[in-house]
Amino acid sequence: MRRGAPYSLRARHSVRAVVLIVTAATTVTACGGGGGGSDAGVVRSSWGDPPNPLEPANTNDVQGGKVLDMIFRGLKRYDPRTGEAKNALADRIESPDQRNYTITLKKGWRFANGERVTAASFVNAWNYGARIDHKQRNAYFFEYIEGYDKVHPASGGAPTAKALSGLRVRNDRTFTVRLTQKFSTWPKTLGYNAYVPLPRAFFEDHAAWLRKPIGNGPYRVRSYAKGSVMKLRAWDGYPGPDKARNKGVDLRVYTDSNTAYTDLQAGNLDLVDDVPAQQLKFVRSDLGNRYINQPAGIIQTLTFPMYDRTWSGPAKAKVRRGISMAINRAQITERIFQGTRTPATDWTSPVLRRQGGYQPGLCGDACRYDPVRARKLIKAGGGLPGGRMTITYNADTGSHKDWVDAVCNSVNTVLRNDRACVGKPVGTFADYRNKMAGKKMTGPFRAGWQMDYPLIQNFLQPLYYTGASSNDGHFSDTGFDRLVNRANAASADGRAIAGFRDAEKILAEQMPAIPLWYQNGSAGYSQRLSEVALNQFSVPVYSRIRVG
Amino acid sequence: MGRYTLRRLLQMIPVFIGSTFLIFFMVYALGDPVAALFGDKAPDPATAARIRKDLYLDEPLWRQYAHYMGQIFSGHFGTAFNGQPVTELMASAFPVTLRLTLVAVAFEMALGITLGVLSGLRRGRGLDTSVLLLTLVVVSVPTFVSGTVLQYLFGVTWGWARPSVSPEAPLNELLLPGVVLGLVSLAYTTRLTRTSIVENARADYVRTAVAKGLPRHRIVTRHLLRNSLIPVVTFIGTDIGALMGGAIVTERIFNIHGVGYQLYQGILRQNSPTVVGFVTILVIVFLLANLLVDLLYAVLDPRIRYA
């Protein structure tokens, strides 16, 4: 008994400690909760953790792009409603020959730290982005500027120049750009985030800038806790016409869009720009007209490995068209995506609108569900190679399995063969990309394209031009390339778009990629907000949102 | 005791090296992470090659591992792809998950042992049967189900708690997620305690204590409970490590930015420094918790000695 005493004392201590913890915890609960107050006028929005550091030329994801769009303004800006590229900082962009451009800036623009935005702010930023030593993921956006091969050698070796020779500062407000080829729609690409100007602070103390980015947009970063929350506040000194209509935006990182949605329902969040698939059935009854479902500049396709002999060749074009006809797009978009996708009938996106190059029905019969003709066409082309096909997709994100199975099911029903088409999952997205880059695809695979800027050129050239950066199917057609070159050289806007449409018609004949559906952006918001809208990139137009 | 502890600590070294290598190997086997950094767009080969070189991804596996271990021993855990040092991620994630785990363990100990003792002492009666049934239900419901249901009920329907936890993760917001996390373990603790109590209730020393005329609460707490706690302590000790690593589901449901969140992101983006770094710390936590459990045996049962 004597021996037991000290232990029991200790035990009593620990019991008291536990009781203390529990009481402390419960008392804190009592006074917790609520706690609005300081949030008045601030939009609380869901966010995803950007995978890369937030630098303009290094950010290629939607989440990071969202922030850049709030804290930066470039030469051009895409009208959030029409997608038209309008001058922002640019006063004039002139060219006598579609190749040499003179850019003049507007007066009175400043960065949030007071520094003036000059021609050098742009030229320095672009030189930084292009240089291979800085390993910027968007470096290829500068590839049309002369001297790119010197600062960014394709071999990956050391650069032989420090700056792009095609860029020249003329005076404080003017600089010139010389491109490597004629590119009539080039000025319209300048609304992309990679082309924004950078203040001197970016180059002088890079680490500090990354912790708290400084830009020239309607918002300033107040604080940034990586991976959890970024607080942005409206900048009173903003000289542009699109000042923020709210006091600020808190971007909160959510791992799971379901939690964000639950938080919206509980009143802890004002805006989600990704309604989870499981909630789509209930979202209209939950939110009523506070649910937005509108087209975004994203198209999904089934791309064929044109480097694989069994899938290329003139006869196989019939098979590819036949497969396209065997897919019941209307049924799949309705049943699986609850109407958040629209069956595709061309290779662009409705956000371009007709004047921008979108042409519904350009794909013709090939994109119309027709089981009888599909069966005939596939048979006429010699049938599926080896009698079977697989659709490769990555299984880790985006729940692609559901629709891949549905597409296969549709093909199988048409061919009256249960085993003609099967899905082929690849574990991770990285592995999937490696297989694509290594030309290891043995059948059609899923591909998605999110536009960089609302231009028909962006939906065609990077994807189907010989050797282009995202031509994953390695499609190559001299006729297509010639039409794209001609369109790029056209001096008038309408002629360029007509040229791209002609090139697109070649895709309709060859069918190197089957257009599946256009993806919509979906968002939901709380009763505190009004005038919420998405732009063509399916990103909320934050500066227009009103609170309360 | 000192020598025993030292020996145990030395044994941790091979376990530590072996486990880190295994994890490193597994993350490596997933493939090249650089391609995924470029999203749906094909990476520019020159830029991708530079990034690969920077991250030592162009070296053979064993050189990568040697480089990584060299870094670890100098206290440097590498850098995540978003430019943050992994040590910084750890400093923000581990305290949060530790708090969450403590809530879960406190809940599990307080309720689990009490329920176990009560039902053990009333074996076969109504209370015992209902506790057994209830724990069976709790064990069979997966965490993501109980988590989402409780989150919806408490967070949306009744509005008693926030459905998600704020970045600072104060203790009061962690109560509900902690309960969800500890729920399954609670059931096991209850059942273990009950069985152990039932077993020991017929032991000679209990009969002696009763014969001596000691008060009932003294028999139960001093004699019966203390001897019955050994399996329970073993379970709870190892459970601390399991809870910290297994918080992945709970943290996702309640949007807690702790270890589970960082691990999930690390795996999704194939960021080996993050994954290996975090798992390494988890392995250490696991090993230390096990050592602590073994040392606690002597406190509970003085007959157990360490040479």
Side-chain angles (χ1 to χ4, degrees), chain B residues 53 83 109 114 142 221 278:
Chain B
K53 190 168 190 298
M109 269 168 51
T114 318
T221 52
F278 272 81

Side-chain angles (χ1 to χ4, degrees), chain B residues 163-226:
Chain B
S164 73
V165 173
S166 51
E168 302 79 35
L171 206 57
N172 62 320
E173 289 182 12
L174 289 176
L175 279 182
L176 180 62
V179 167
V180 169
L181 179 63
L183 215 53
V184 172
S185 303
L186 164 83
Y188 283 121
T189 312
T190 310
R191 290 183 151 233
L192 262 177
T193 314
R194 177 189 170 274
T195 316
S196 200
I197 291 275
V198 167
E199 215 169 274
N200 288 335
R202 297 209 196 103
D204 290 343
Y205 61 85
V206 174
R207 210 181 316 148
T208 312
V210 174
K212 276 202 293 187
L214 288 177
R216 188 175 154 82
H217 70 92
R218 202 177 166 84
I219 299 170
V220 172
T221 52
R222 249 344 133 60
H223 297 259
L224 184 52
L225 187 57
R226 205 168 119 189

